[in-house]
Amino acid sequence: MILRVGRALQERRLDKYLHGRFSNYSRVMLQEIIKTGAVKVNGQSAKPSFKLSPDDLIEITLPELPKTEIPPENIPLDIIYEDNDFIIINKPADIIVHPARGNTHGTIANALAFHLTSAEPEPNEENQTDDFDKEDELPVALGDFRPGIVHRLDRNTTGVMILAKNNVAQWKIAKQFHDRHVEKSYLAIVHGVPDLTRDRVSAPLGVNLKFRYKYAVRPEAGKEAITFYEVLESFRGFSLLKLTPKTGRTHQIRVHLAHIKHPVVADEMYGGRPVYPWQLKDADPVPEAPVISRCALHAATIAFAHPTTKEIVRFEAPLPLDMQTFLDLLRKYRKS
């Protein structure tokens, strides 16, 4: 293909410009394509960081995207809402969102594939077209192969989540996430009580240099990350927080809360500890299961513009049983 850079050029880096034009290809993939010499600017090979100018001529040969299929699996979805464009689910704990290395089955994506396949109507005299397959095929996410996945929640985070049912809806909703037009709120039970009843945490995040599977506050090289919090209830030694992230970095809320010395309960990756009933009762230690065995974080609400009607829609997921039980015990034994 041959592209001519327009005069309304906004992104000057070659790799970012091409990612904006070919969003189904990840930026990393496009960088590799550029490095192989498959992209020329004004007849010359260029680096991914090459600065473009209006009227530059770009010649590019793009490889086909890899064909990957997500096998359908009969995994129940707790559906809050569904229409022709998307599904809103209440994600349970202990399930990952999309297949990854070491976790190729048992994911939300597998469940979505089964749900859409099982929803296909049987052919009849009034329905003899292929429109269903074209409309409700599992969409391919921007960049990586994550069908139907617009955003994700960590494995042990519960709550409201959007699953797209077609490519147009996925693109429109994903763009809202990219442009930070989606409003989200979370609930977390944390250790301790913050000094301020509400505040903003602004701390850049990046990959932890010692443990690559973790993230950390990195003022020198991290990406902007902002989280607002509000104390909804305080107890002796614990508090219930409402959290509103303004950016969407990986593990953002968990790292920010650890950064202000109030980690999420049972989030052992970032300093949280399991809590046992005998601790809440100020009793002697006894062998018993913890009150909650996973990170006490829940995606409570989400609001965005409907991809078809453009109206703002808002959805809420009720607090899961384990967090509700924990709160009930705090209210009973740990009143401030």
Side-chain angles (χ1 to χ4, degrees):
M1 289 172 282
I2 299 177
L3 309 174
R4 184 177 294 279
V5 178
R7 295 193 173 274
L9 174 65
Q10 294 182 350
E11 181 49 67
R12 293 186 175 275
R13 274 186 63 114
L14 176 61
D15 57 348
K16 289 187 177 180
Y17 174 83
L18 291 176
H19 184 49
R21 295 295 299 269
F22 305 103
S23 56
N24 276 351
Y25 292 79
S26 71
R27 188 175 161 195
V28 172
M29 185 183 295
L30 287 168
Q31 288 172 345
E32 292 301 317
I33 294 170
I34 295 169
K35 291 175 184 177
T36 64
V39 179
K40 296 184 183 298
V41 180
N42 301 324
Q44 302 294 322
S45 297
K47 295 181 178 180
S49 60
F50 180 84
K51 299 297 183 182
L52 295 169
S53 300
D55 290 329
D56 277 347
L57 205 63
I58 302 173
E59 300 173 61
I60 180 170
T61 302
L62 289 175
E64 288 189 13
L65 286 168
K67 301 294 184 182
T68 310
E69 292 186 358
I70 300 293
E73 295 181 23
N74 189 5
I75 302 170
L77 291 172
D78 182 0
I79 296 176
I80 297 173
Y81 172 85
E82 181 175 5
D83 63 18
N84 290 331
D85 290 317
F86 59 83
I87 304 170
I88 303 295
I89 67 166
N90 184 8
K91 177 190 171 295
D94 197 28
I95 184 170
I96 62 174
V97 172
H98 53 76
R101 185 177 300 174
N103 293 284
T104 57
H105 297 278
T107 72
I108 296 293
N110 297 115
L112 177 61
F114 181 87
H115 178 80
L116 294 185
T117 302
S118 62
E120 183 173 356
E122 294 294 331
N124 55 46
E125 294 180 359
E126 297 179 358
N127 182 18
Q128 291 290 341
T129 71
D130 293 327
D131 289 345
F132 181 90
D133 290 336
K134 295 175 182 178
E135 287 294 321
D136 285 4
E137 62 184 356
L138 209 57
V140 177
L142 310 184
D144 298 317
F145 189 81
R146 298 176 181 177
I149 305 303
V150 180
H151 65 125
R152 74 180 190 92
L153 298 175
D154 294 335
R155 179 174 195 145
N156 282 316
T157 299
T158 57
V160 66
M161 186 175 170
I162 309 169
L163 303 177
K165 293 178 67 175
N166 58 71
N167 287 308
V168 173
Q170 183 168 27
W171 179 83
K172 288 184 177 181
I173 298 173
K175 190 173 189 303
Q176 293 182 61
F177 275 95
H178 178 270
D179 296 340
R180 301 180 186 176
H181 292 160
V182 177
E183 296 182 3
K184 299 172 288 180
S185 73
Y186 293 75
L187 295 174
I189 303 175
V190 303
H191 292 282
V193 181
D195 293 334
L196 300 176
T197 55
R198 60 179 65 194
D199 198 6
R200 182 184 74 163
V201 182
S202 180
L205 300 183
V207 174
N208 188 303
L209 295 179
K210 292 184 178 180
F211 307 99
R212 306 298 291 181
Y213 59 91
K214 296 175 61 175
Y215 289 78
V217 171
R218 297 185 57 191
E220 77 293 347
K223 295 181 179 180
E224 179 189 37
I226 299 172
T227 306
F228 290 87
Y229 76 79
E230 177 185 355
V231 179
L232 298 181
E233 288 187 68
S234 59
F235 310 92
R236 285 190 296 112
F238 303 92
S239 51
L240 172 66
L241 304 186
K242 176 183 177 182
L243 301 129
T244 308
K246 290 302 178 185
T247 52
R249 308 301 176 198
T250 302
H251 297 182
Q252 175 176 314
I253 289 175
R254 298 162 62 191
V255 178
H256 274 174
L257 290 174
H259 178 64
I260 64 172
K261 311 302 182 186
H262 296 289
V264 180
V265 168
D267 186 6
E268 297 186 80
M269 181 179 290
Y270 293 110
R273 303 180 302 279
V275 176
Y276 297 87
W278 60 264
Q279 290 176 305
L280 298 181
K281 300 173 185 178
D282 297 316
D284 293 331
V286 294
E288 57 185 346
V291 177
I292 187 169
S293 58
R294 54 95 184 178
C295 181
L297 181 62
H298 176 69
T301 67
I302 196 163
F304 58 98
H306 193 288
T308 298
T309 68
K310 298 182 175 59
E311 295 180 356
I312 300 299
V313 290
R314 184 180 184 277
F315 301 96
E316 181 175 356
L319 203 63
L321 180 61
D322 55 1
M323 286 184 66
Q324 186 60 59
T325 300
F326 191 7
L327 269 181
D328 292 341
L329 290 172
L330 289 172
R331 289 164 180 161
K332 182 176 182 180
Y333 296 107
R334 288 295 185 115
K335 288 184 179 179
S336 297

